[in-house]
Amino acid sequence: MKATYQLLPLALFVSLLSSMAYATTGYFMHGYGVKAQGNAGTSIAQFQDALTIANNPAGLSWMGDRVDVGATIFSPDRSAQISGNQMPQGYPNANGNYDGNGRQYFVLPELAVNHQVNDQVALGLAIYGNGGMNTGYKQNPYAAFGNQGTAGVDLTQVFISPAVSWKYAKNQSIGVATNILYQRFEAKGIGAFAGYSQDGQNLSNRGKDDATGIGARIGWTGQFFDDRLTLGASYSSKINADRFKKYQGLFAEQGDFDVPESYGIGAAVKVTPKLTVAADVQRINYSDVDSVGHSFDVAQLQQGHVFGSDNGPGFGWDDINVYKIGVSYQAHPKLTLRAGYSHNDQPIRDSEVFLNVLAPGVVRDHLSVGATYNIDPHQEISVAYTHALEDEVKGPISPAFGGGEAKLQMSQDILGLSYGYKF
């Protein structure tokens, strides 16, 4: 364990400077930990590695001493289409198909450690990506409105989460994790909208900016009926992060961009000694973050509620529910197979498509498969693959921006690989 802890500063450095990630349930990850990804993220009542800290920290009480290291590769396909646009005053229209894949592959590392102090207390630490958003349009979708150069956004959110779990009864435990947030953001190609901002100098093309914050996650779990049924619940608080000063003319409340609260419940049933079926229901309250939840309303802009102001516009995202189901099967003493499906509500309303060309997080359905191979009693390798089915949202563009219709599309392929060591 001493050698493991000595590696943590290096892992922290790698995580913070890693490639930008692109998440799937809005801009949250669909699953934390490669094993959970193989079950489409089902993890609130099914504990499979030390990354349970990111899902339900109460699961540490059932993990024993172990370390897990992994990486996930994202390959999103995002695009936008504008049709029927007629810019006034002789400007060219914005009609066309726009490829948002300025970058195709993104790598997100993860690391977690658990140490069983005694029969009741377990201590852990996880470093992982909470989520993110990325678009890169070489052909600027907003060029007709005076914008130049490439357009897009880049958002990364990383959590450093020390955790403790207390097994207060033979079959029940509670856990608490501190979520220390580091996030980084950049926006390009929207500088011509400075007239709609209270600080047009800090709206676009200001390079990367970062911010930090702190929150908490609390979880509970219990095992019943001779451990054939496991129940779990988890809650993550909203994180009030520092402001992005370089983008205080873009995000509401002078650059404020918080992490929304989320919570969920789960159950896992051991149908047979080899077969386990688990299900989760999760809630993510995007609308509680003004920069995300506020509507992009032209009438509000004309009344002074401009970008960067206290009541300034956001991306108009709704709160969403996420439904997950996963199956794990012990096919061989050394081999576990996994599969899962998840579905989430659509966060982007039809009326909010214009600004969300920058953030087309429209996918809702995920199909996952995965496996773990036990090399020996101490070592294991896990792999997971997820395909986020293509989805789209289309809706009207305000006449103030030439009218017409915009359509957002996205699909995604996700491949994860991890190594686990049990002491």
Side-chain angles (χ1 to χ4, degrees):
M1 294 295 290
K2 182 178 179 180
T4 299
Y5 290 124
Q6 289 174 342
L7 290 174
L8 290 179
L10 176 61
L12 173 60
F13 178 81
V14 171
S15 292
L16 295 183
L17 299 183
S18 65
S19 302
M20 298 299 176
Y22 197 108
T24 54
T25 52
Y27 61 83
F28 276 33
M29 288 280 288
H30 80 293
Y32 300 98
V34 171
K35 290 182 179 179
Q37 289 178 26
N39 289 131
T42 309
S43 54
I44 295 177
Q46 187 176 28
F47 317 119
Q48 304 183 82
D49 55 33
L51 263 299
T52 187
I53 292 171
N55 304 305
N56 182 352
L60 289 177
S61 292
W62 314 91
M63 286 293 95
D65 291 347
R66 64 179 294 136
V67 57
D68 294 281
V69 181
T72 298
I73 300 173
F74 289 82
S75 180
D77 184 5
R78 54 261 196 237
S79 62
Q81 181 184 76
I82 297 176
S83 59
N85 182 258
Q86 295 180 338
M87 276 297 295
Q89 301 176 357
Y91 286 97
N93 61 50
N95 297 329
N97 296 309
Y98 299 93
D99 186 337
N101 300 317
R103 184 170 180 176
Q104 190 173 359
Y105 297 101
F106 304 84
V107 180
L108 184 64
E110 61 189 25
L111 182 146
V113 178
N114 186 45
H115 174 56
Q116 196 72 41
V117 178
N118 53 43
D119 291 341
Q120 289 186 307
V121 178
L123 298 177
L125 175 67
I127 305 171
Y128 61 96
N130 181 59
M133 185 69 70
N134 175 282
T135 49
Y137 292 95
K138 293 181 180 180
Q139 181 185 0
N140 195 323
Y142 303 121
F145 311 102
N147 291 285
Q148 299 178 351
T150 60
V153 297
D154 224 346
L155 170 69
T156 284
Q157 292 181 334
V158 176
F159 278 171
I160 306 164
S161 297
V164 59
S165 181
W166 175 39
K167 194 174 182 180
Y168 63 91
K170 181 180 179 181
N171 66 328
Q172 297 184 60
S173 64
I174 59 172
V176 177
T178 301
N179 290 331
I180 302 169
L181 166 72
Y182 171 87
Q183 60 180 357
R184 188 167 59 189
F185 178 78
E186 181 178 15
K188 295 180 179 180
I190 55 174
F193 295 134
Y196 296 104
S197 171
Q198 72 170 17
D199 184 358
Q201 298 298 314
N202 289 297
L203 173 72
S204 180
N205 294 83
R206 295 281 284 117
K208 291 180 172 61
D209 197 7
D210 54 21
T212 58
I214 190 167
R217 176 178 290 107
I218 184 170
W220 168 88
T221 187
Q223 296 184 344
F224 307 96
F225 304 109
D226 297 325
D227 299 340
R228 293 193 300 271
L229 172 65
T230 301
L231 301 177
S234 182
Y235 172 82
S236 294
S237 68
K238 180 179 178 179
I239 298 179
N240 292 310
D242 299 332
R243 288 175 168 82
F244 287 120
K245 294 182 179 179
K246 292 182 180 179
Y247 293 96
Q248 61 186 7
L250 173 60
F251 292 131
E253 299 181 313
Q254 299 80 50
D256 195 40
F257 197 94
D258 300 328
V259 177
E261 70 171 355
S262 61
Y263 46 87
I265 57 174
V269 179
K270 189 172 289 187
V271 180
T272 71
K274 295 183 177 181
L275 178 65
T276 299
V277 178
D280 291 350
V281 178
Q282 183 186 20
R283 176 79 168 180
I284 305 174
N285 289 331
Y286 285 120
S287 68
D288 284 347
V289 178
D290 291 346
S291 295
V292 178
H294 278 186
S295 177
F296 179 69
D297 188 335
V298 174
Q300 292 292 313
L301 291 175
Q302 295 169 342
Q303 293 174 13
H305 300 309
V306 294
F307 285 106
S309 65
D310 289 345
N311 295 307
F315 291 89
W317 282 29
D318 286 331
D319 303 336
I320 64 171
N321 296 317
V322 188
Y323 309 93
K324 308 176 183 180
I325 185 167
V327 177
S328 300
Y329 181 68
Q330 191 75 44
H332 183 274
K334 286 193 170 186
L335 180 65
T336 302
L337 302 177
R338 300 183 182 88
Y341 167 74
S342 73
H343 172 82
N344 56 264
D345 301 333
Q346 179 59 255
I348 299 176
R349 298 191 295 270
D350 296 351
S351 59
E352 302 290 343
V353 291
F354 183 70
L355 191 60
N356 277 290
V357 168
L358 295 172
V362 298
V363 295
R364 293 183 294 175
D365 297 286
H366 307 78
L367 296 172
S368 301
V369 293
T372 294
Y373 179 75
N374 296 304
I375 302 170
D376 57 38
H378 296 285
Q379 302 179 85
E380 62 186 28
I381 295 178
S382 299
V383 63
Y385 168 74
T386 297
H387 178 65
L389 278 64
E390 184 176 87
D391 210 333
E392 66 178 43
V393 173
K394 57 184 178 180
I397 298 173
S398 169
F401 293 100
E405 182 180 75
K407 180 170 71 173
L408 316 177
Q409 289 181 301
M410 191 177 77
S411 64
Q412 198 168 62
D413 292 295
I414 307 167
L415 179 65
L417 181 67
S418 68
Y419 169 80
Y421 189 90
K422 295 173 283 187
F423 293 89

